[in-house]
Amino acid sequence: MGVPSDDAVLIQDGKKPEEPHVITVNCPDKHGLGCDICHIILEFGLYITKGDVSTDGIWCFLVFWVVPHSSSPFIRWPSLKNRLQSLCPSCSVTFYLNDQPSHSAASPVYLLKFFCLDRKGLLNDVTQVLTELEFAIQKVKVTTTPDGRVLDLFFIIDNMELLHTKERQNDLCKQFDAVLGESCISCELKLAGPEYDCQHAISSLSPAVAEELFRFELSDKETRLQALSSDMTKLKNANVVIDNSLSPAHTLLQIHCVDHKGLFYDVLRTLKDCNIKIAYGRFSSNSNGYRDLDLFIQQKDGRKFVDPEMQNGLCSCLKVEMLHPLRVVIANRGPDTELLVANPVELSGKGRPRVFYDVTLALKALGICIFSAEIGRYSSSDREWEVYRLLLDENCGFQLSSMSARNQIVDKVRRMLMGW
């Protein structure tokens, strides 16, 4: 295997400041490449306004028009290009002779541990630093002491793979000094040891919370833990249609649904995990809050989707995965109030990017402090989920025992996650 061509990824500025950047990827194809690209685009805080994808199974050509989200004004465009470049398969002749997936060594996990005085928005400020510096948060354990101090354990991976260098470590420390200032009591960075394995799984969930988080479809019961706003009612009106009349070799998949942040990623990760091949796809621009997606697809063996049962299964799976990708629940945990957010993990093991940042940003906007937090993995219904558990500080402007206040918190968090 050689290295990707320098021209595999191009990023063009818009002709005007308000116009989107255009990301073009032109390289050998591999299964799930479009999903992986959308994952990184979402990780960098970018919103895809429209896109075109085409491949003949050997070579692919992808174009995405992107703009920064309002919560992500600062974008490292050169770094984005490098990250996308690293996804592209080799352009060498060997690629065609031996199209085998490469298995690079897993990136090392580091433990960032700091002890400091607590304040409102602290957790989001720390998460913002890590996000902007391109660190992936694998796990987190946050504990607040009775005297108003906080001990944070962040298990992180450096997406730039430079944290072993002094320069990268100094850059991280400099950013943390700017955020924590004199409130920082101690700060330590080291390679994670056995404590990482201890933090890998989430602590047990109550049966009621687990049922609500991981149910296949949204609940309509009045006693549900999730507050379903009018937006969620609109989501249920999504339309997924399969048509086999327009192509002799491919099935046309047509999707019409409410737009949300990461929509294209949710569609493509579902097709990737189902081993479905995309020959051509077009993602239209947002129209009155809705999106249209047209995808010409095949099964893994190259056949069309003609079996009615298989068609219904695919449509049902897509509706759940793209319309309900993030589960938000607020419940009691003993005497405390707990916010839980869950999202499905790709079969490759990758979780959804920026979830912890968005959740903490929403709580910061509401003026709610986080007493403790943890991130872990949880298995349910033969699949893995990434679960975020946050105990909310009762000393805030919300009466957390009130159903109205809880609904407001859930709605704010969901809107931040979905980009509404």
Side-chain angles (χ1 to χ4, degrees):
M1 300 289 287
V3 296
S5 165
D6 290 339
D7 296 330
V9 178
L10 296 176
I11 301 180
Q12 297 174 290
D13 297 342
K15 295 180 180 179
K16 299 179 181 179
E18 66 274 11
E19 291 185 348
H21 285 63
V22 182
I23 299 174
T24 303
V25 181
N26 186 18
C27 68
D29 195 16
K30 69 175 181 180
H31 179 66
L33 179 61
C35 169
D36 297 340
I37 289 173
C38 287
H39 185 278
I40 289 183
I41 289 175
L42 182 59
E43 180 186 322
F44 272 74
L46 292 167
Y47 168 76
I48 300 175
T49 62
K50 63 178 181 177
D52 280 290
V53 176
S54 62
T55 177
D56 59 3
I58 299 176
W59 200 272
C60 67
F61 185 73
L62 306 95
V63 185
F64 296 99
W65 286 259
V66 301
V67 296
H69 282 286
S70 58
S71 61
S72 310
F74 178 72
I75 306 295
R76 296 171 177 249
W77 295 104
S79 185
L80 172 61
K81 179 177 180 178
N82 291 337
R83 291 283 303 284
L84 293 175
Q85 194 85 38
S86 68
L87 291 177
C88 299
S90 167
C91 298
S92 68
V93 176
T94 310
F95 171 81
Y96 300 102
L97 300 178
N98 185 23
D99 183 12
Q100 298 295 327
S102 59
H103 299 280
S104 57
S107 299
V109 179
Y110 288 83
L111 170 60
L112 175 65
K113 179 169 64 175
F114 62 91
F115 187 50
C116 67
L117 301 178
D118 195 15
R119 61 171 171 79
K120 287 185 178 181
L122 173 65
L123 195 53
N124 178 253
D125 292 342
V126 171
T127 304
Q128 182 176 359
V129 170
L130 294 174
T131 301
E132 290 182 350
L133 291 178
E134 298 178 55
F135 289 99
I137 301 173
Q138 300 298 297
K139 310 292 170 193
V140 64
K141 183 70 175 180
V142 176
T143 305
T144 304
T145 63
D147 61 352
R149 303 184 183 192
V150 62
L151 175 64
D152 288 2
L153 305 178
F154 280 83
F155 295 90
I156 58 176
I157 287 177
D158 184 7
N159 288 324
M160 297 178 67
E161 299 185 354
L162 295 173
L163 198 50
H164 61 281
T165 66
K166 196 67 176 177
E167 181 181 0
R168 180 70 161 158
Q169 293 175 11
N170 290 338
D171 190 19
L172 177 59
C173 292
K174 180 180 178 181
Q175 295 294 332
F176 264 93
D177 286 341
V179 170
L180 300 178
E182 296 181 355
S183 67
C184 184
I185 300 171
S186 65
C187 184
E188 180 183 1
L189 177 68
K190 64 179 183 179
L191 281 170
E195 67 270 28
Y196 175 67
D197 296 327
C198 296
Q199 298 286 342
H200 190 70
I202 199 78
S203 52
S204 61
L205 300 171
S206 71
V209 170
E211 179 186 2
E212 192 71 19
L213 272 178
F214 309 124
R215 67 170 59 250
F216 186 70
E217 294 180 345
L218 287 171
S219 171
D220 285 317
K221 61 183 181 181
E222 292 300 322
T223 58
R224 59 184 171 246
L225 297 172
Q226 298 190 78
L228 300 186
S229 62
S230 58
D231 298 294
M232 302 305 290
T233 303
K234 288 168 59 179
L235 284 178
K236 294 184 179 183
N237 296 327
N239 192 27
V240 182
V241 176
I242 285 181
D243 188 347
N244 280 307
S245 65
L246 296 180
S247 170
H250 299 89
T251 294
L252 172 61
L253 181 67
Q254 293 180 302
I255 299 171
H256 177 75
C257 65
V258 173
D259 193 18
H260 71 256
K261 181 165 57 179
L263 172 62
F264 301 149
Y265 166 68
D266 290 321
V267 172
L268 296 184
R269 70 172 170 81
T270 304
L271 299 181
K272 174 186 176 182
D273 284 351
C274 292
N275 281 318
I276 294 174
K277 300 189 296 184
I278 302 174
Y280 175 77
R282 170 164 289 180
F283 312 138
S284 69
S285 300
N286 184 310
S287 177
N288 297 321
Y290 283 83
R291 286 295 188 104
D292 288 300
L293 290 77
D294 295 315
L295 301 165
F296 284 89
I297 61 174
Q298 289 180 329
Q299 298 182 54
K300 184 180 180 180
D301 58 8
R303 293 185 298 172
K304 298 171 67 173
F305 287 84
V306 294
D307 179 70
E309 185 174 344
M310 184 179 294
Q311 292 179 359
N312 291 335
L314 175 59
C315 292
S316 178
C317 181
L318 273 169
K319 285 184 178 181
V320 172
E321 295 297 326
M322 73 179 178
L323 301 182
H324 196 25
L326 293 143
R327 318 295 176 89
V328 184
V329 163
I330 195 166
N332 294 327
R333 186 177 181 184
D336 301 312
T337 301
E338 182 176 42
L339 178 71
L340 300 100
V341 178
N343 60 271
V345 176
E346 291 183 36
L347 292 182
S348 65
K350 289 191 295 187
R352 190 185 192 88
R354 299 180 70 89
V355 173
F356 194 60
Y357 173 74
D358 284 341
V359 172
T360 55
L361 182 60
L363 294 177
K364 178 182 178 180
L366 290 171
I368 298 176
C369 288
I370 299 167
F371 182 76
S372 70
E374 61 176 317
I375 303 174
R377 298 291 174 95
Y378 190 92
S379 295
S380 176
S381 303
D382 299 324
R383 73 178 308 172
E384 192 174 32
W385 297 78
E386 200 162 48
V387 181
Y388 303 75
R389 305 185 69 172
L390 303 95
L391 289 182
L392 306 183
D393 193 333
E394 300 288 340
N395 297 318
C396 63
F398 287 82
Q399 185 64 37
L400 296 180
S401 60
S402 162
M403 182 59 69
S404 174
R406 292 186 172 204
N407 288 350
Q408 185 178 348
I409 294 170
V410 169
D411 188 60
K412 178 66 174 181
V413 171
R414 182 183 289 117
R415 286 177 179 277
M416 187 68 72
L417 289 166
M418 302 292 278
W420 293 337

